[in-house]
Amino acid sequence: MANMSLEKVKMPEQDPNVRNKNFEEVALGYDEIMAMEEATRCLHCKNKPCVSGCPVNVRIPEFIEKVAAGDFAEAYRIITSTNALPAVCGRVCPQESQCEGKCVRGIKGEPVAIGRLERFVADWYMKNGTDKTEKPQSNGKKAAVIGAGPAGLSCAGDLARKGYQVTIFEAFHKAGGVLVYGIPEFRLPKKIVQKEIDKLSELGVTVETNMVIGKVLSVDELFEMGYEAVFIGSGAGLPSFLGIEGEGYIGVYSANEFLTRINLMKAYLDEYDTPIRHAKAVAVVGGGNVAMDAARSAKRLGAEHVYIVYRRSEAEMPARAEEIHHAKEEGIEFLLLTNPTKVLGNENSEVCGLECVKMELGEPDDSGRRRPQPIKGSEFVLDVDSVIMAVGTSPNPLLRTTTDGLEANRRGCLVADEETMKTTREGVYAGGDAVTGAATVILAMGAGKKAAAAIDEYLQNK
Amino acid sequence: MFEIVRKKQLNDSVVLMEVKAPFIAKKAQAGQFIIFRVDEQGERIPLTIADYDREAGTITIIFQTVGASTKELAELNEGDFIKDFVGPLGVASHFDEGIKKVAVVGGGVGCAIAYPQAKLLHSMGVSVDLIAGFRNKDIVILEDEMRAVCDNLIITTDDGSYAKKGFVTNALQEQIDAGVNYDLVVAIGPIPMMKFVCKVTEPHGIKTIVSLNPIMIDGTGMCGGCRVTVDGQIKFACVDGPDFDGHKVDFDELMRRNSTYQKAERERGCRLLNQEVK
């Protein structure tokens, strides 16, 4: 008999006023009893709408059935047959618009907590799992993956399972892409990312760090080195600025720089060498997950006031509902329908304010969203000493400008077939943010999976 | 891990290291740079490639110990390893065909970067005047190396303790006043020096290329920490540079931005010193 409770089993969390002073994980995860109880809320629908909502098609009702029965090891095996990074996805996927968004239980009440269950299973296995990952039989073929972010990791994992000898080339000194430099420790502990990457090494995947492809080696040279196919998962890491006056002042960061200093370089820890400015009051410009991450990180560095400055209203915010909720709980102040017009600086060229204008929503634009327009005479100055720009990123031009025959669109995104992720260059596949522009971790992983299947087919028939 | 195969102290605070990095050595060109990280707790610091040996697979870096990370690097010896070493980054220097006479101006440790530029120009058959400035006699570096890659080496010292007394800008001005027609000036050194070299060349309409040295983290264009204003536009020095048209660079902004972490850097420098005292 299914558990007909309308609400998800609550997940324990750190108290907001404690956690906004540390970088430890906010959500503490289910224990075995909570997980089994939540698992019994699944109705095991015949047509499984949840599975179609998952970009990597995790066999959701099947794994949940095993959780309900307490067979967590088997649940893990089912999840990892299609998803290489369950501990990551269970934490950072926007489930409300994916698997859980399609869950029948969500029609009346809350959907089944699929993300929390996936996370529980992955965490349980990291602690208790005993099976050694078996290295698959080699098929003697080599494939190269550019970029060790979610797209590259998932593509590499799938190719390795099919017997390919896979090398990932990563520009940074650490693998993980946005999982290590972008998403903060309090949402995604780096220890967990590292464990997931270690699992790929057990499958035989090699990660070469400090390798900026396009500079140190070209795509052509990878083919010369014997790689028969190349997957480009280089992401969209080039930050945008607003182009307003004063963005050169000391204390103006791109969210990428701010988060890289904190997450990758551990600037908040004394024993690490990379410095960061500790501001008293911070304005974070933007309304996506990156803006929430930057704001919550700034609070944890000790800022008394942290403002989200967003030019539309809360309904249009692209950030996950849960992250907006967490940010509010932690004391982040939201200035909606507000647009920055100028960064103000003092005599030492340090930020001493952000001039903003109030906005109102006008007619819908091409994208269907109501276009914000400034209200004349509503200018005001926000008293801040740091400004973080989280207004989007675009793909880095490095690969498309150094690889012949690789086409990109007007926005700089690589052109790739939607089903096979095949680019305009034979043997070269691409996926994730490099193709779509900034999107989600799980969409990147889905693209990596599709590309791995297409690369396999291409090389089998070559 | 990247092995240090040669180390040479050039003066009290300037060190030369040859680092085994075959992939980088195969591709490196004048004007490009690397980013290093000494150890697991280390920060990422950019250094210009001073030289490379494609056959031996080595990259030469020359750096001044100005803070904690360069001090930590300087403490390593031949046979030791640097944790991370990535490159070649940035756009290689590009010189137009048809240039006949160039002044390459180096200031202090900047001479280590001016040197490969002079070498490249010299190898292109260009007539090179190399003007190298130092505070005093004790810190003169690379004199023989520089002499070998130019037609005319002018060394200046601020206090006159060696060679010509004065700044590089005085020497450059004298050359121009004496009627030397430069097609191009390349200036590399402290920001004020590059700024004043540009002030000297601007009235004469001599194109002047400078190599900028803003704060960097990744060096691949993903953070914009190294952004500079050139001709009123935001440019990322790590991918669009580090070479820019000096007459279009906002040097004052660059100087201010480079002071962002001065306090943090001083404190960490002191911490390192205290550790040694213990």
Side-chain angles (χ1 to χ4, degrees), chain B residues 174-216:
Chain B
E174 276 175 31
Q175 291 290 102
I176 293 170
D177 291 345
V180 182
N181 271 322
Y182 291 115
D183 302 313
L184 178 73
V185 169
V186 179
I188 300 159
I191 302 167
M193 181 216 102
M194 293 192 282
K195 178 182 165 177
F196 287 112
V197 167
C198 290
K199 286 238 164 93
V200 169
T201 58
E202 200 160 17
H204 302 280
I206 305 168
K207 186 175 178 191
T208 304
I209 295 175
V210 293
S211 178
L212 302 186
N213 52 353
I215 294 173
M216 288 187 190

Side-chain angles (χ1 to χ4, degrees), chain A residues 427-461:
Chain A
V428 180
Y429 296 73
D433 288 2
V435 170
T436 57
T440 62
V441 168
I442 189 70
L443 282 174
M445 290 183 54
K449 277 191 90 65
K450 281 187 194 170
I455 288 170
D456 183 41
E457 197 186 313
Y458 164 71
L459 291 182
Q460 295 274 348
N461 298 324

Side-chain angles (χ1 to χ4, degrees), chain B:
Chain B
M1 301 285 269
F2 297 82
E3 189 185 357
I4 298 163
V5 292
R6 188 162 83 95
K7 179 185 179 184
K8 190 179 169 196
Q9 196 84 32
L10 297 185
N11 68 32
D12 275 355
S13 67
V14 176
V15 179
L16 175 151
M17 278 181 181
E18 241 177 84
V19 179
K20 189 101 181 157
F23 278 116
I24 308 176
K26 224 170 134 186
K27 283 293 173 66
Q29 295 179 65
Q32 291 186 299
F33 65 95
I34 57 94
I35 284 192
F36 77 86
R37 195 170 72 121
V38 171
D39 56 28
E40 195 50 47
Q41 277 75 40
E43 57 184 334
R44 294 169 65 98
I45 301 277
L47 286 175
T48 304
I49 295 169
D51 211 344
Y52 50 81
D53 184 332
R54 301 214 197 282
E55 271 170 29
T58 57
I59 292 288
T60 302
I61 48 173
I62 296 176
F63 59 96
Q64 186 163 19
T65 51
V66 287
S69 287
T70 42
K71 195 169 175 340
E72 282 165 0
L73 181 61
E75 276 164 11
L76 297 181
N77 291 306
E78 284 173 16
D80 289 344
F81 290 83
I82 302 172
K83 181 95 173 67
D84 297 297
F85 202 76
V86 58
L89 301 169
V91 180
S93 299
H94 169 81
F95 300 114
D96 295 329
E97 293 287 318
I99 296 175
K100 291 192 181 66
K101 183 81 185 165
V102 174
V104 177
V105 184
V109 72
C111 292
I113 310 158
Y115 162 71
Q117 306 279 21
K119 189 174 161 186
L120 171 64
L121 285 158
H122 190 68
S123 74
M124 288 165 64
V126 175
S127 167
V128 177
D129 286 355
L130 217 168
I131 305 174
F134 301 92
R135 267 199 325 278
N136 59 53
K137 180 174 191 279
D138 298 336
I139 61 167
V140 174
I141 56 168
L142 299 172
E143 184 173 350
D144 295 339
E145 287 86 346
M146 290 193 291
R147 196 177 302 283
V149 295
C150 68
D151 301 272
N152 179 20
L153 175 66
I154 305 168
I155 291 181
T156 66
T157 48
D158 299 0
D159 62 358
S161 55
Y162 185 67
K164 203 174 165 65
K165 182 173 167 32
F167 300 120
V168 286
T169 40
N170 304 129
L172 179 64
Q173 187 70 59
E174 276 175 31
Q175 291 290 102
I176 293 170
D177 291 345
V180 182
N181 271 322
Y182 291 115
D183 302 313
L184 178 73
V185 169
V186 179
I188 300 159
I191 302 167
M193 181 216 102
M194 293 192 282
K195 178 182 165 177
F196 287 112
V197 167
C198 290
K199 286 238 164 93
V200 169
T201 58
E202 200 160 17
H204 302 280
I206 305 168
K207 186 175 178 191
T208 304
I209 295 175
V210 293
S211 178
L212 302 186
N213 52 353
I215 294 173
M216 288 187 190
I217 306 176
D218 60 290
T220 62
M222 64 145 301
C223 85
C226 66
R227 64 191 184 277
V228 289
T229 306
V230 181
D231 210 10
Q233 307 248 313
I234 294 180
K235 297 278 176 193
F236 292 1
C238 71
V239 288
D240 300 317
D243 289 359
F244 291 99
D245 180 341
H247 295 144
K248 295 179 176 163
V249 169
D250 185 341
F251 286 104
D252 295 334
E253 180 189 78
L254 173 60
M255 231 176 300
R256 290 190 305 254
R257 285 185 59 78
N258 274 6
S259 72
T260 304
Y261 299 105
Q262 243 165 27
K263 193 163 155 263
E265 282 162 7
R266 259 201 312 273
E267 282 168 4
R268 195 157 67 82
C270 293
R271 271 214 312 270
L272 274 184
L273 284 176
N274 288 340
Q275 277 168 12
E276 276 162 26
V277 174
K278 280 180 220 159

Side-chain angles (χ1 to χ4, degrees), chain A residues 55-368:
Chain A
V56 297
N57 303 124
V58 167
R59 291 144 58 197
I60 293 164
E62 284 179 59
F63 99 73
I64 289 185
E65 192 179 356
K66 296 295 172 197
V67 174
D71 187 355
F72 308 130
E74 185 57 19
Y76 181 79
R77 206 190 54 74
I78 294 169
I79 296 173
T80 48
S81 70
T82 63
N83 184 354
L85 312 169
V88 172
C89 294
R91 286 173 166 83
V92 305
C93 273
Q95 286 102 5
E96 66 269 25
S97 57
Q98 295 177 335
C99 55
E100 293 181 23
K102 299 261 170 103
C103 175
V104 170
R105 293 296 306 267
I107 298 168
K108 191 179 166 215
E110 290 185 334
V112 174
I114 300 165
R116 293 177 186 178
L117 289 174
E118 181 181 38
R119 168 193 161 143
F120 164 78
V121 170
D123 289 0
W124 182 91
Y125 195 84
M126 272 184 198
K127 235 184 272 151
N128 305 297
T130 46
D131 299 2
K132 279 289 282 173
T133 313
E134 249 177 72
K135 212 167 147 179
Q137 180 92 37
S138 168
N139 66 12
K141 289 176 188 285
K142 280 165 71 177
V145 170
I146 303 172
L153 293 176
S154 106
C155 184
D158 274 23
L159 285 172
R161 270 187 280 269
K162 292 180 206 298
Y164 292 91
Q165 190 188 327
V166 184
T167 307
I168 306 181
F169 296 94
E170 165 58 38
F172 260 137
H173 55 260
K174 209 170 235 131
V178 75
L179 307 177
V180 296
Y181 77 73
I183 303 174
E185 189 80 23
F186 55 80
R187 279 218 286 144
L188 181 63
K190 302 307 148 221
K191 211 170 62 217
I192 282 169
V193 178
Q194 193 51 53
K195 278 193 182 158
E196 300 269 45
I197 292 168
D198 291 345
K199 288 225 175 301
L200 291 181
S201 312
E202 286 170 25
L203 285 172
V205 174
T206 312
V207 182
E208 297 274 2
T209 53
N210 294 317
M211 295 293 268
V212 184
I213 304 301
K215 284 288 179 194
V216 70
L217 287 173
S218 66
V219 169
D220 295 275
E221 282 168 309
L222 291 177
F223 282 111
E224 283 164 27
M225 287 163 74
Y227 294 99
E228 294 185 64
V230 173
F231 174 75
I232 301 176
S234 50
L238 191 76
S240 305
F241 287 87
L242 289 176
I244 58 174
E245 212 180 300
E247 282 181 309
Y249 285 133
I250 297 171
V252 180
Y253 285 102
S254 74
N256 264 11
E257 179 182 358
F258 186 71
L259 290 171
T260 299
R261 285 181 182 271
I262 291 175
N263 299 324
L264 181 72
M265 307 311 295
K266 304 261 181 279
Y268 62 95
L269 296 175
D270 253 3
E271 60 270 31
Y272 284 76
D273 293 343
T274 302
I276 194 152
R277 292 180 89 249
H278 293 255
K280 284 199 191 69
V282 181
V284 179
V285 181
N289 286 321
V290 175
M292 298 306 137
D293 286 344
R296 297 170 69 194
S297 298
K299 189 84 188 176
R300 284 160 169 78
L301 287 180
E304 286 159 32
H305 290 282
V306 179
Y307 306 98
I308 290 279
V309 178
Y310 183 55
R311 67 198 181 111
R312 300 178 195 256
S313 65
E314 185 167 332
E316 287 87 22
M317 274 200 168
R320 286 184 65 191
E322 187 182 330
E323 302 315 324
I324 295 173
H325 171 71
H326 277 151
K328 284 183 176 168
E329 279 186 336
E330 288 166 14
I332 308 299
E333 297 156 66
F334 283 62
L335 295 174
L336 303 168
L337 288 164
T338 304
N339 206 27
T341 49
K342 189 179 175 184
V343 183
L344 308 176
N346 64 15
E347 66 283 3
N348 299 322
S349 297
E350 295 158 327
V351 174
C352 69
L354 182 66
E355 188 187 277
C356 301
V357 63
K358 285 291 196 187
M359 309 289 278
E360 60 189 353
L361 291 180
E363 294 302 306
D365 60 15
D366 298 343
S367 73

